[in-house]
Amino acid sequence: MTTLDQLVINFHMTESCNYRCGYCYATWNDHCSARELHRHSGEVERLLDGLSDYFLNPNPLQQALGYRSVRLNFAGGEPMLLGDRFVQALHRAQDCGFETSIITNGHFLDEAMLEALAPRLSVLGISYDSMNPETVQRIGRQDRKGRGLSRERLIEMARQYRALNPRGVLKINTVVNAFNWQEDMRDLGHQVRPDKWKLLRVLPVHDHNLVISDAQYRAFVERHAELGTMVVEEDNQDMRQSYLMIDPEGRFYQNGEAGQGYILSSPILQVGVARALTQVPFDAEAFARRYQLIPVQAV
């Protein structure tokens, strides 16, 4: 039996985002924003209750992985765009017994929000792809007014988070793509010192044109290898069927073949967690390997 300390469930609470990243995979082809659960009173709470009843009690996945805790990771789109609805959902998840985390573009993470959220987060994940304003613009990692997360703000945000939550984990996600693969962010890594800096290779989904070659991805990874154990690479094969993901309408989903959208379950609130989980492929061994990935070694 595979033994894993923690199971992670990614709840993409909304498709809405203030950025327009060209490679974004959080676009559900048949999606109607009016059906997002957070728009309907009590629906997110019902979903969280159902997830806790299943995953925090003995179940086949727990038997397969031997996990001891479950972390609910809020993602999007941009979950913080929902304001109080997101904060209430995070509180409810904790009340249900989940550890909680978030992956955010950091745009709404001002000092007041950090003070409110940091003590409640096991992991703060920040998406950050480039220090170069022109590259940021080309990727689309900025709002309609041209505002993105600056290097200086990222460094300050990391400092504030650690002061507010010394035990909290800080993670940076960088999607390596056609516009940033030649960039050198080693100095930034030395300043931020995240617990984990995940280098994700852009996924070739939804016909996006930011895909890169094996050699380009390897070049970026090897350039940052001197940062040591904080750097973890995640190539496309590492991602396939190795995430446990829920879309804004409360359906489990997995990425399909390149350019072919998603494999979706029935709504969890209609058929229950156990049945919905059987309707999408999920590779428990691949999930375990991803959380046991060996950091990039300096050369």
Side-chain angles (χ1 to χ4, degrees):
M1 180 185 75
T2 299
T3 300
L4 197 67
D5 182 64
Q6 188 172 72
L7 181 72
V8 181
I9 304 170
N10 294 279
F11 178 24
H12 292 260
M13 195 171 172
T14 182
E15 184 178 343
S16 299
C17 187
N18 56 316
Y19 288 178
R20 296 293 181 269
C21 302
Y23 56 71
C24 184
Y25 63 85
T27 51
W28 286 266
N29 293 332
D30 64 341
H31 188 67
C32 172
S33 62
R35 295 200 298 265
E36 293 190 350
L37 293 186
H38 67 84
R39 296 181 179 274
H40 304 277
S41 178
E43 297 289 82
V44 169
E45 290 78 7
R46 285 180 57 208
L47 175 67
L48 296 178
D49 289 347
L51 293 173
S52 65
D53 286 344
Y54 183 83
F55 288 107
L56 297 180
N57 289 296
N59 65 79
L61 195 57
Q62 197 277 335
Q63 294 173 4
L65 291 173
Y67 64 80
R68 292 181 285 273
S69 64
V70 183
R71 172 161 56 88
L72 192 69
N73 182 53
F74 289 90
E78 174 50 51
M80 293 186 63
L81 195 62
L82 302 180
D84 287 343
R85 282 175 289 177
F86 157 68
V87 175
Q88 291 165 8
L90 186 142
H91 289 185
R92 181 59 170 256
Q94 285 194 308
D95 291 342
C96 287
F98 293 112
E99 292 191 33
T100 54
S101 60
I102 181 175
I103 182 69
T104 175
N105 60 37
H107 191 90
F108 301 101
L109 205 53
D110 58 20
E111 288 191 29
M113 185 61 78
L114 258 176
E115 289 181 3
L117 292 183
R120 294 180 173 271
L121 297 175
S122 296
V123 182
L124 170 61
I126 302 173
S127 298
Y128 190 84
D129 289 347
S130 177
M131 302 180 296
N132 187 320
E134 292 183 3
T135 303
V136 169
Q137 181 180 25
R138 295 179 74 190
I139 293 172
R141 187 163 282 284
Q142 58 183 18
D143 66 10
R144 292 174 180 174
K145 296 182 178 180
R147 298 173 300 186
L149 181 62
S150 70
R151 167 185 178 145
E152 293 74 22
R153 179 57 189 148
L154 176 62
I155 294 170
E156 178 61 15
M157 194 178 296
R159 185 198 66 77
Q160 292 173 331
Y161 176 66
R162 288 199 172 96
L164 292 164
N165 186 356
R167 292 187 176 184
V169 171
L170 176 65
K171 183 176 74 167
I172 305 297
N173 282 358
T174 294
V175 178
V176 186
N177 62 79
F179 293 145
N180 71 350
W181 72 271
Q182 298 183 77
E183 190 160 349
D184 186 344
M185 294 196 282
R186 287 174 291 180
D187 184 59
L188 178 66
H190 285 302
Q191 293 185 66
V192 175
R193 300 300 303 176
D195 297 280
K196 180 185 290 187
W197 191 346
K198 188 180 288 188
L199 308 182
L200 302 102
R201 182 172 174 177
V202 63
L203 282 171
V205 296
H206 297 301
D207 298 321
H208 291 318
N209 63 356
L210 298 181
V211 296
I212 54 176
S213 67
D214 292 343
Q216 289 170 328
Y217 178 67
R218 296 306 320 161
F220 188 94
V221 170
E222 291 169 8
R223 187 178 308 123
H224 294 84
E226 73 173 49
L227 294 173
T229 57
M230 76 169 71
V231 178
V232 175
E233 59 178 298
E234 190 164 299
D235 208 340
N236 291 345
Q237 64 267 21
D238 300 316
M239 304 182 205
R240 185 166 178 77
Q241 299 180 10
S242 68
Y243 279 83
L244 200 54
M245 301 182 291
I246 299 172
D247 80 348
E249 295 179 36
R251 302 173 293 187
F252 287 114
Y253 76 97
Q254 290 289 352
N255 295 314
E257 296 295 331
Q260 296 183 13
Y262 297 116
I263 303 168
L264 292 160
S265 77
S266 301
I268 296 169
L269 292 181
Q270 292 182 15
V271 302
V273 174
R275 182 178 173 188
L277 195 56
T278 66
Q279 295 175 346
V280 295
F282 176 67
D283 189 333
E285 290 296 327
F287 176 93
R289 287 195 301 271
R290 192 165 56 77
Y291 277 90
Q292 296 166 356
L293 286 176
I294 299 174
V296 173
Q297 297 300 311
V299 294

